[in-house]
Amino acid sequence: MAYYFDEPSRTFNEYLLVPGHTPASCVPTAVSLKTPLVKYRKGEEECPLSLNIPMVSAIMTAVSDDRMAVALATEGGLSFIYGNQSIEDEAAMVARVKDYKAGFVTSDANLSPDMTLADVVALKEEHGHSTMPVTDDGTAHGKLLGIVTGRDYRLSRMGLDEKVADFMTPREKLIVAPADTTLKVANDIIWDNKLNSLPIVDADDRLVALVFRKDYDSHKSNPNEMLDAHKRYMVGAGINSRDYAERVPALVEAGADVVCIDSSEGFSDWQKITIEWVREHYGDTVKIGAGNVVDADGFRFLAEAGADFVKIGIGGGSICITRETKGIGRGQATATIEVAKARDEYFRETGVYIPLCSDGGIVYDHHISLALAMGADFVMLGRYFARFDESPSNKVMVNGTYMKEYWGEGSARARNWQRYDLGGKKKNLTFEEGVDSYVPYAGSLKDNVDVTLLKLKSTMCNCGALTIPEFQDKAKLTLVSATSIVEGGAHDVLLKDKTPYVSNT
Ligand code: RVP
């Protein structure tokens, strides 16, 4: 006979936190959001890899590329670069994050000398930058021949067919700096010479990067940055249970700090085999997350297989229709609570603490607080990050409002068959488990993450907690009735402004 769970499966929206005593010392500025990313012997050793904020970006084509990874690592979180691309392309993205020097920008709007003013105008419209290097082959790393800025042309006086070579500021008039220049020195050159940007070139006069005056200032104000031992940004990468024997070595070689098996359902021999392969070839030096699971049995299986962290969640993603198409899944709150209990039991038995990631279904900022209170150590977000400037998808105008495109890995658009793979010869997606959609454009990652974290810290203080482990220990949670959910919003008043003041919708 089938097994029946006693309780219905519930979502975050059905829970609230009940405040605890707040000591005078418990203020948001004193809260630490540091949280473990990989397993360790709690109480005996330090976690070898921690996040400075409990947020990671989803392993999705529409969310996590190298630009997102740099932006999120700057704030203290981590991106998992999407695996739904060739091994070479994914490794190249990882390498770009590791090579990224804050303030040293690889130019994405470049010209060749035979291009025209019309091309300059088009590029400016596409990228929004007014500084465009001119290189012999029109690429970001070609031989530097000059630069075009807004000061080099006047649209009212010049023909659109004028050649770039005829109006650019030529190389001999440019001040440049060599590749080993530090950001501090680059910034001094910029200020001493009243420049807006400084091209960095290698020994063959090939363009390496541009340094802009404004970036140096912003770099100084990121105390949470996720940096490795060599002061490079940290980055994760998605893998699958098919081509891991080729993909993992390429990602490790490129510098990935952690990998994660990306699968809609992780309670399978395929994940065990993948983890075993990594252990056999790399021991404990390569950290590997696994999932997704939604109950104690699934957790135990992956824990015993050797996962460094376990991801929770099936069917709760905003773009996910797995529950509709296959009838499998579980409410994200119930899944998190049960898996956290199983993790704590495993810890009591073995002394090994396996961090949990609640993945999908975070709609409001307070859902992050709930997930952590329920025992997750960090959360994975797709929709949340897809809304920002830094996500790889297009920003489009829909009915007078700016939107960003956001699509599921199981949608016809992504066709990420490995994520839904159940073995066998077939290598395609037979039916969809995700949709293609728009999400409201929300500006820069930093501005939004700042507000989200402020809300989280404030909630933690309401519960008398200065750290995430303390929060998990002290949190008191209550289920809410349907009627009290109505009470939770503004009610029985006539709103003057109908725009909701929640930032995260
Ligand atoms: P959300 O943050 O609610 O947008 O959910 C993101 C999560 O949804 C991902 O991390 C992944 O686990 C899941 N996902 C991604 N694609 C699909 C799909 O097409 N069904 N689901």
Side-chain angles (χ1 to χ4, degrees):
M1 191 190 144
Y3 176 82
Y4 288 88
F5 290 89
D6 289 337
E7 291 289 325
S9 77
R10 300 191 183 274
T11 66
F12 291 130
N13 259 351
E14 293 172 85
Y15 283 89
L16 282 178
L17 280 154
V18 175
H21 170 240
T22 307
S25 57
C26 199
V27 290
T29 45
V31 170
S32 161
L33 295 177
K34 197 167 170 150
T35 192
L37 175 64
V38 298
K39 71 180 176 193
Y40 67 112
R41 290 198 161 267
K42 203 173 178 175
E44 291 175 28
E45 58 188 47
E46 225 187 281
C47 179
L49 197 51
S50 296
L51 297 164
N52 291 332
I53 64 169
M55 298 167 89
V56 301
S57 70
I59 312 169
M60 295 175 73
T61 320
V63 180
S64 297
D65 66 352
D66 45 323
R67 185 168 174 220
M68 175 62 70
V70 167
L72 185 51
T74 305
E75 300 310 314
L78 194 86
S79 287
F80 284 88
I81 301 287
Y82 64 90
N84 189 23
Q85 57 180 327
S86 73
I87 294 172
E88 296 71 36
D89 288 350
E90 188 181 7
M93 275 194 184
V94 167
R96 281 204 291 278
V97 180
K98 300 310 288 186
D99 289 343
Y100 184 86
K101 276 166 79 186
F104 289 74
V105 179
T106 299
S107 171
D108 58 5
N110 305 291
L111 299 163
S112 60
D114 53 352
M115 288 168 98
T116 61
L117 182 55
D119 296 316
V120 173
V121 174
L123 261 187
K124 185 166 182 234
E125 223 169 83
E126 190 185 338
H127 295 280
H129 309 316
S130 48
T131 302
M132 297 172 203
V134 184
T135 56
D136 59 346
D137 56 4
T139 69
H141 300 300
K143 216 173 175 58
L144 185 65
L145 302 179
I147 270 201
V148 171
T149 71
R151 285 189 226 156
D152 293 310
Y153 58 88
R154 281 180 81 178
L155 287 174
S156 55
R157 299 227 177 143
M158 290 163 61
L160 284 173
D161 55 353
E162 279 203 41
K163 289 253 186 283
V164 163
D166 297 332
F167 61 87
M168 69 184 185
T169 303
R171 169 69 182 86
E172 57 275 15
K173 290 201 178 152
L174 293 177
I175 294 171
V176 302
D180 59 356
T181 307
T182 63
L183 191 55
K184 173 150 190 356
V185 170
N187 195 53
D188 288 345
I189 299 173
I190 286 173
W191 282 96
D192 292 348
N193 296 282
K194 299 193 166 125
L195 304 173
N196 279 324
S197 67
L198 176 72
I200 305 292
V201 294
D202 68 12
D204 297 326
D205 219 30
R206 294 188 158 275
L207 181 65
V208 176
L210 294 174
V211 177
F212 292 92
R213 185 200 309 239
K214 59 181 182 323
D215 284 335
Y216 184 66
D217 294 336
S218 66
H219 180 58
K220 285 199 286 194
S221 60
N222 299 311
N224 276 334
E225 283 178 324
M226 281 288 291
L227 299 174
D228 66 17
H230 305 286
K231 298 237 179 301
R232 302 175 305 180
Y233 283 120
M234 296 184 86
V235 63
I239 62 168
N240 62 71
S241 50
R242 282 271 186 166
D243 63 14
Y244 53 83
E246 292 85 45
R247 196 172 289 267
V248 173
L251 294 171
V252 170
E253 174 71 17
D257 295 283
V258 51
V259 295
C260 182
I261 309 173
D262 179 30
S263 168
S264 70
E265 204 275 285
F267 189 178
S268 77
D269 279 346
W270 310 116
Q271 298 235 339
K272 185 168 186 283
I273 294 166
T274 307
I275 297 169
E276 280 169 359
W277 186 91
V278 166
R279 293 289 173 249
E280 192 188 319
H281 289 81
Y282 295 97
D284 277 337
T285 59
V286 169
K287 304 296 179 193
I288 176 168
N292 286 7
V293 297
V294 287
D295 72 353
D297 294 343
F299 169 81
R300 178 60 70 153
F301 178 82
L302 292 179
E304 285 172 356
D308 282 298
F309 67 87
V310 171
K311 222 146 55 72
I312 309 163
I314 295 178
S318 56
I319 32 49
C320 182
I321 51 171
T322 294
R323 293 184 196 165
E324 282 170 12
T325 49
K326 297 205 302 201
I328 66 156
R330 201 172 192 195
Q332 190 64 15
T334 304
T336 305
I337 294 166
E338 183 177 318
V339 173
K341 273 191 191 140
R343 184 271 314 278
D344 292 348
E345 208 173 288
Y346 185 83
F347 170 60
R348 278 192 295 275
E349 273 174 37
T350 63
V352 176
Y353 184 85
I354 302 186
L356 298 176
C357 170
S358 178
D359 173 18
I362 300 285
V363 179
Y364 298 102
D365 288 335
H366 77 266
H367 289 170
I368 300 177
S369 313
L370 288 169
L372 298 174
M374 288 169 183
D377 297 274
F378 56 101
V379 293
M380 177 172 270
L381 309 113
R383 191 194 62 86
Y384 178 90
F385 287 115
R387 300 171 305 143
F388 304 151
D389 288 319
E390 293 83 353
S391 78
S393 75
N394 293 322
K395 179 174 148 194
V396 287
M397 180 79 90
V398 181
N399 297 332
T401 309
Y402 275 120
M403 299 279 186
K404 291 275 285 192
E405 293 186 302
Y406 178 45
W407 60 97
E409 288 299 292
S411 67
R413 182 163 181 183
R415 306 206 81 80
N416 183 353
W417 64 269
Q418 293 99 323
R419 189 170 193 275
Y420 301 89
D421 184 33
L422 288 171
K425 287 213 176 73
K426 201 172 54 66
K427 292 188 174 179
N428 59 39
L429 200 67
T430 328
F431 54 90
E432 287 179 87
E433 293 193 39
V435 298
D436 191 355
S437 70
Y438 296 118
V439 286
Y441 166 67
S444 82
L445 179 142
K446 181 180 174 37
D447 289 349
N448 285 275
V449 166
D450 279 353
V451 174
T452 299
L453 295 182
L454 215 72
K455 288 188 200 167
L456 170 60
K457 288 178 179 175
S458 163
T459 305
M460 286 170 64
C461 288
N462 292 144
C463 298
L466 283 172
T467 65
I468 291 174
E470 203 182 346
F471 185 43
Q472 290 163 337
D473 199 40
K474 288 187 170 171
K476 294 185 284 184
L477 289 142
T478 179
L479 272 169
V480 290
S481 70
T483 330
S484 72
I485 290 177
V486 176
E487 190 187 59
H491 63 93
D492 301 303
V493 292
L494 196 61
L495 285 182
K496 289 184 181 168
D497 178 1
K498 293 228 172 65
T499 321
Y501 47 80
V502 280
S503 70
N504 193 12
T505 47

